[in-house]
Structure formats: structure tokens, C-alpha cells
Amino acid sequence: MLDYDKTQPLIFIHIPKTAGTSVRSIFEQWFGGELFFHYYIEALNEMPIRHNIFEKNHDQQAAVVYGHFNRRRNFGVEDYYPNAKQFITLLRDPLETRISTYFYLQKVAHGWSKYPEPHDPDLQNYLRNNKSVMLNFFPRKVTFENYKEIIEKYFIEIGVVENIELSMENIATKLQKPYNNGMLERLNVTERDQSVTEELRNIFIESNELEYTVYNYVKSNYFDINGKISKKCL
């Protein structure tokens, strides 16, 4: 992966339901006034603001943009910042991400002017009819042929929620920022009241083969072949 160049803009891709709200508070501490946000305002149906991150005169610290970048909804990286060259993100098991998204939408989307995806009150049907959208947030279109190249060419670090503390330690080290256990708060957590059968879990994994290929490739940096947490990834 890349070494961080603080004189060039950095983008943190906040994939929904991957601890991004909690991590954002730490980035606010790290970057202060150089941190800019990129979020679609669902309640008002408004696109994110485009920041002039390449036109600023940065002698020391370039701008950092943090937020959702969704190619499918026309506010992806290539739509807004096609010249950006360094990224950080966190991944989570695609099924767990989808389940968490379902319960989050059940909780908040009734107040939005436009529902972002097909609505279904039953979790089982929702998972059958909605694939993972994880790769829509990547800076370039991902395929089986190019996913390793994209990860190594564009990313400074990709962490995993399942090993969040080590992920944040690695991100902090790459960015030369302070981090210690306890800094990360659990924010924007949604309760669940439905479960998923093992059969449906397997169906979902099979129908999202590319997403799991990418996720497992990244996850292998944080877990050994026996599924035990690695002690260090750098």
C-alpha cells in the first residue's frame, strides 16, 4: 500500500455501517480545520458539497475529505475528486454491513425525502433482494482482475471493523497521528430484532462473491488462517 503524503489531499471513504461515525470523531481531532465532509443529505435530497481541495495552498497539511462516496448514486470519488490519489477506508463483513444498514434504514429513513433503495419490512426478503453495495464506494471500479492492484495503488490503509483497534493503530501510524485504546467511542449503533438463518447467510455470500473476495483479501492482514486476530499488521 501507499505511504502517506501529507502535502496531497487524502480521502477517507466512509462505507456506511463500518464504524465510520466513530472514526470520524478521531479524524476531527487529528485534522481540525483541514477536515472536510462529503455526505448526501438524505432528508433534503441534496448532493454533497464539492470542496476545492486541490486549489488550496497547503505548505504543510493538505485537505482531508471524509464521507460517503457512492458511484451508483453519482457522488463517488470519480464524480467529485477524480485526481485524488490516496485513500483510507474500513471494511466489514458484507452481510453484517447489509444487516446493519437494514436496521438503520428501518429506524431513520421514514424522515427522508427519497428512500435510497427498495424497502422491505422483512429482513430475510431484504437480504434476498439487495446485494452488497460495498464496492460502489471504492475509488475505481473493482473487478476480480484488478482488486489487488486498486488496493495497493490507491490505499494507504484498509482496516476491518472486526479488528477495529489494530486497524486504528495502523491508520494512526501511517498518518503519524496519536492513538490509544479508548479513543474510539461506539457511536450510531443500531439495535437488531431479527436474525438471519445459516442458509440465507450462505446464499448471500455466494451471490456477493467479488465483495467477499475483496473483504477476505483485506481481512487476511488482520487475522491468521485460523481466524485468530493478528498482533500486528504493519
Side-chain angles (χ1 to χ4, degrees):
M1 292 188 189
L2 299 174
D3 292 326
Y4 176 47
D5 180 356
K6 70 177 184 178
T7 68
Q8 297 297 316
L10 168 67
I11 291 179
F12 186 101
I13 299 174
H14 173 188
I15 299 173
K17 311 314 296 178
T18 59
T21 302
S22 300
V23 174
R24 185 172 66 202
S25 66
I26 294 176
F27 269 67
E28 289 174 335
Q29 298 175 48
W30 285 348
F31 294 102
E34 298 301 332
L35 183 66
F36 301 89
F37 297 111
H38 179 91
Y39 287 99
Y40 185 92
I41 304 176
E42 300 287 359
L44 302 176
N45 197 24
E46 290 185 1
M47 296 290 275
I49 296 172
R50 191 185 309 271
H51 304 285
N52 296 322
I53 61 174
F54 290 97
E55 297 180 10
K56 297 178 181 294
N57 182 19
H58 294 283
D59 296 326
Q60 299 295 326
Q61 175 64 63
V64 178
V65 183
Y66 193 110
H68 298 324
F69 287 86
N70 191 327
R71 179 186 302 106
R72 180 177 60 88
R73 299 182 67 190
N74 300 316
F75 50 88
V77 168
E78 291 179 291
D79 298 307
Y80 275 72
Y81 307 110
N83 295 323
K85 299 185 183 304
Q86 51 183 6
F87 302 85
I88 293 174
T89 195
L90 287 164
L91 303 184
R92 182 183 184 185
D93 181 310
L95 175 59
E96 289 302 311
T97 306
R98 220 43 176 127
I99 293 172
S100 188
T101 298
Y102 167 83
F103 285 109
Y104 176 75
L105 292 176
Q106 290 285 99
K107 178 180 178 181
V108 305
H110 57 82
W112 295 353
S113 61
K114 182 180 179 181
Y115 205 82
E117 58 188 33
H119 176 67
D120 195 309
D122 180 74
L123 174 61
Q124 312 296 324
N125 290 334
Y126 174 85
L127 294 174
R128 291 188 183 94
N129 296 323
N130 291 276
K131 297 185 67 175
S132 170
V133 297
M134 179 183 82
L135 298 180
N136 290 333
F137 293 82
F138 270 55
R140 300 292 184 271
K141 183 175 176 58
V142 178
T143 67
F144 284 107
E145 291 72 30
N146 72 6
Y147 73 91
K148 291 182 182 179
E149 178 185 2
I150 287 177
I151 289 171
E152 301 302 327
K153 179 178 180 180
Y154 290 103
F155 285 93
I156 293 168
E157 185 65 36
I158 302 181
V160 293
V161 172
E162 291 81 1
N163 197 346
I164 189 67
E165 288 294 344
L166 182 54
S167 295
M168 290 306 301
E169 289 176 17
N170 285 349
I171 290 170
T173 299
K174 292 286 185 71
L175 299 180
Q176 299 181 7
K177 297 294 183 180
Y179 181 79
N180 55 68
N181 289 353
M183 285 182 66
L184 189 69
E185 301 180 73
R186 296 184 74 239
L187 303 174
N188 199 28
V189 178
T190 307
E191 299 296 326
R192 303 180 179 188
D193 60 6
Q194 298 182 57
S195 59
V196 177
T197 65
E198 191 64 26
E199 178 185 10
L200 184 54
R201 180 178 298 273
N202 292 333
I203 291 173
F204 186 88
I205 292 172
E206 290 175 5
S207 64
N208 292 275
E209 184 180 1
L210 177 57
E211 288 77 6
Y212 272 96
T213 298
V214 174
Y215 168 70
N216 288 329
Y217 178 73
V218 172
K219 184 182 176 183
S220 68
N221 292 324
Y222 286 90
F223 293 85
D224 64 22
I225 59 174
N226 296 314
K228 294 183 178 180
I229 292 177
S230 299
K231 297 300 182 184
K232 187 174 182 179
C233 299
L234 292 174

